[in-house]
Amino acid sequence: MAGGAIKVEGGGRSHLYTGHTTFAVVMIAIVAASGGLLFGYDNGITGGVISMRNFAELFFPEELAAHDSSNGYCKFNDQILQLFTSSLFLAGAFAALVGMVTCKKYGRRFTMIMGGLCFIIGTVLVASAFHIAQLVIGRLVLGVGVGFATQATPLYLSEMAPYNLRGALNILFQLAVTIGIFAAQLINYGTQHIYPWGWRLSLALAGVPGLMLFLGALVLPDTPNSLIERGKLEQGEKVLKRIRGVDDVTVELEDIVDAVNVSRTIVNPWATILRRRYRPQLVISILIPTFQQWVGINAIIFYAPQLFQTTGAGADAALLNTVIIGAVNVGCTVVAILVVDRFGRKFLLIEGGIQLVICEFIVGALIASSLGTSGVGAIGPAKANAMIAFICIYIAGFAWSWGPLGWLVPSEIQPLETRAAGTGVNTFTNLLMTFVVGQTFLSMLCAMKFGVFFFFGGIGLIAILFAIFFIPETKNVPIEEIEEMVVHRHWFWRRVVSG
């Protein structure tokens, strides 16, 4: 059977839920999504900072001396330089595992507060650095903040959102990520000629989203699910009434309490998620973020200035091109918010995957036709403009599909008893794969040359097949009913679960 999912428009007791989308829940979602701002800012800031001459003179003088290498593919092939970018995500991956524990024991809100605090401390360290060791240590502290924030924020948003708008509100996290990336790219473009401290200003401004998350989380309530899970039933009911805007939340409250009672029977969530019953959630939570990173998005987001300089663009033009793709990223994530609960997750993953794969093959071919295997030469104006256009189309496809849905689907597909562990697995895998891509891309570009884009495109083809056959549709299904109504009715996963 050609795989897929059973489409469920609500079901169960969701039609009995009362309430509406309140101003309170929208404001909660916006403040919570600031966790995405800090993640996005650090995604977007490093490539531009590395390209600044004053930064390179202080930390990478050998790299600066080799910048005029005739081999365009290998201009930036330096492991320490890549470590400056990637170290944050290695720390974030392991911090996400700690965040899984704090989310369950102390709540989603507490974890977000700690994430904002770590981000503020890390920002001070990197912005004041005079030695590469302090720079990397600061990035590691920033990574702890990112790990906490990316673990807690999607979980927080999934549990706060009304079931019929859960997709749109959850994608606010990814929209915040793209806004953070775009803001970083704009700031780099503006600070590149502020000598000798422009790079410090770029890094210091990362403290703004960290402060927003820290102060915002201080005034936010925790989710009803988390409060009830920690024995605070009355407080959880009060928050639920506030965010739904009605006094009668009996049915939804009963569903949450029932789910909490099931989760309390779970002593070890890690052992639980390894059980056959939860195999679909585990596999999906590992493979979706793996595909999300290995379709090459962060190779472009991290190193877009270096990529454009590889093809012969000057530093100013490279940063300007980076700003353009950042703007496309933001705009198309807004599209995802508007259509995710209309077209569903599965359709967007397939369509977006096809779009980005085609573009990667075209970009690889354009670079191959100009630089060949030697890396000598430059792309002419017509080909350069075509390359920028197809990179923008690639970014658009990712921004309304694998970008936001890479966080949404794994977070909403978990039942409460595995939700913290499952979200931890998703976040850990995402950040670990981000670390690997960030640490290896410039070396891969040097070794594989234009073939690196064909490599990413090939992985994209596998991702499309996975979406077609193995990802169930979760549109319009209440979060507490997803496991029973979708996962266990999927043509393939129901066989896995039943053994």
Side-chain angles (χ1 to χ4, degrees):
M1 180 187 297
I6 292 177
K7 182 179 178 183
V8 182
E9 300 291 347
R13 304 207 307 165
S14 61
H15 64 285
L16 300 176
Y17 288 6
T18 56
H20 54 273
T21 304
T22 62
F23 178 75
V25 78
V26 172
M27 292 307 299
I28 285 169
I30 292 172
V31 172
S34 64
L37 282 176
L38 60 85
F39 186 36
Y41 193 90
D42 261 304
N43 274 4
I45 202 69
T46 53
V49 166
I50 289 170
S51 70
M52 294 184 188
R53 188 174 187 87
N54 46 6
F55 178 84
E57 287 174 345
L58 182 59
F59 296 107
F60 302 102
E62 299 87 357
E63 186 66 29
L64 186 64
H67 186 270
D68 295 327
S69 167
S70 59
N71 186 346
Y73 294 122
C74 299
K75 282 183 178 181
F76 301 96
N77 182 24
D78 184 281
Q79 289 298 311
I80 300 299
L81 184 148
Q82 291 174 104
L83 184 63
F84 164 67
T85 296
S86 65
S87 57
L88 179 149
F89 301 97
L90 182 62
F94 289 97
L97 300 181
V98 178
M100 183 273 296
V101 176
T102 60
C103 273
K104 186 172 182 65
K105 189 172 183 179
Y106 302 110
R108 290 53 159 152
R109 173 178 172 268
F110 171 83
T111 306
M112 290 162 59
I113 292 172
M114 296 306 299
L117 181 61
C118 289
F119 206 82
I120 293 169
I121 295 171
T123 297
V124 173
L125 288 172
V126 295
S128 62
F130 282 93
H131 191 276
I132 189 65
Q134 181 179 341
L135 198 65
V136 172
I137 290 171
R139 291 285 291 177
L140 291 172
V141 176
L142 285 169
V144 174
V146 166
F148 283 162
T150 53
Q151 164 66 13
T153 302
L155 188 58
Y156 185 93
L157 290 171
S158 288
E159 293 178 344
M160 283 294 204
Y163 78 90
N164 60 320
L165 293 177
R166 188 179 62 246
L169 290 182
N170 204 294
I171 289 177
L172 279 175
F173 176 79
Q174 180 65 19
L175 177 62
V177 171
T178 62
I179 292 173
I181 292 170
F182 183 49
Q185 293 163 339
L186 280 174
I187 288 168
N188 279 336
Y189 187 71
T191 61
Q192 62 178 316
H193 297 303
I194 302 177
Y195 190 89
W197 49 269
W199 66 271
R200 294 189 188 277
L201 180 58
S202 289
L203 294 179
L205 288 174
V208 175
L211 191 62
M212 287 175 60
L213 179 65
F214 177 73
L215 295 178
L218 282 177
V219 300
L220 287 176
D222 212 337
T223 70
N225 310 63
S226 178
L227 291 167
I228 295 170
E229 187 177 27
R230 291 180 287 129
K232 302 178 181 180
L233 177 60
E234 291 184 3
Q235 191 174 345
E237 182 179 6
K238 182 179 179 181
V239 172
L240 187 61
K241 289 179 179 179
R242 175 187 171 193
I243 63 177
R244 298 295 178 255
V246 294
D247 290 329
D248 183 10
V249 292
T250 303
V251 177
E252 186 172 3
L253 183 65
E254 287 176 351
D255 285 348
I256 293 174
V257 170
D258 288 344
V260 166
N261 289 335
V262 172
S263 73
R264 284 174 176 165
T265 65
I266 306 302
V267 177
N268 185 339
W270 285 107
T272 300
I273 202 172
L274 293 176
R275 294 177 185 172
R276 178 178 291 275
R277 174 181 176 181
Y278 304 108
R279 197 70 50 80
Q281 289 92 335
L282 178 63
V283 173
I284 290 171
S285 294
I286 292 173
L287 289 184
I288 284 186
T290 299
F291 288 133
Q292 185 198 54
Q293 293 307 313
W294 282 103
V295 295
I297 183 62
N298 277 328
I300 293 174
I301 295 298
F302 290 163
Y303 299 120
Q306 287 69 42
L307 179 61
F308 288 125
Q309 288 182 54
T310 292
T311 61
D316 284 9
L319 285 174
L320 180 59
N321 292 338
T322 303
V323 170
I324 292 172
I325 66 174
V328 172
N329 197 14
V330 173
C332 291
T333 303
V334 174
V335 173
I337 293 176
L338 298 177
V339 303
V340 66
D341 287 313
R342 179 181 303 174
F343 296 133
R345 287 70 162 143
K346 193 179 185 74
F347 171 81
L348 292 178
L349 287 170
I350 296 169
E351 187 282 329
I354 293 171
Q355 184 172 325
L356 62 88
V357 165
I358 291 173
C359 291
E360 284 186 306
F361 284 139
I362 293 174
V363 169
L366 288 171
I367 295 176
S369 67
S370 297
L371 301 185
T373 58
S374 67
V376 177
I379 293 183
K383 286 185 179 179
N385 290 335
M387 190 180 84
I388 294 169
F390 280 108
I391 287 178
C392 286
I393 297 171
Y394 163 89
I395 292 289
F398 183 87
W400 60 52
S401 63
W402 287 89
L405 298 182
W407 294 103
L408 173 61
V409 173
S411 68
E412 70 180 3
I413 207 168
Q414 302 290 340
L416 187 59
E417 59 267 28
T418 65
R419 193 166 300 157
T423 308
V425 168
N426 176 51
T427 306
F428 174 81
T429 306
N430 189 296
L431 294 175
L432 183 63
M433 293 298 108
T434 303
F435 163 74
V436 175
V437 171
Q439 187 62 36
T440 61
F441 173 68
L442 295 178
S443 297
M444 290 172 66
L445 180 64
C446 182
M448 299 173 68
K449 303 174 174 57
F450 58 84
V452 71
F453 292 96
F454 299 146
F455 171 76
F456 287 140
I459 293 179
L461 290 174
I462 300 173
I464 293 168
L465 294 174
F466 181 73
I468 292 172
F469 290 105
F470 301 112
I471 297 181
E473 181 57 73
T474 54
K475 180 185 73 171
N476 286 341
V477 183
I479 195 167
E480 305 303 344
E481 299 178 9
I482 285 178
E483 180 187 22
E484 182 60 33
M485 298 191 62
V486 178
V487 174
H488 290 168
R489 296 185 185 182
H490 186 273
W491 74 275
F492 177 77
W493 295 122
R494 68 186 180 193
R495 300 176 188 177
V496 172
V497 170
S498 64

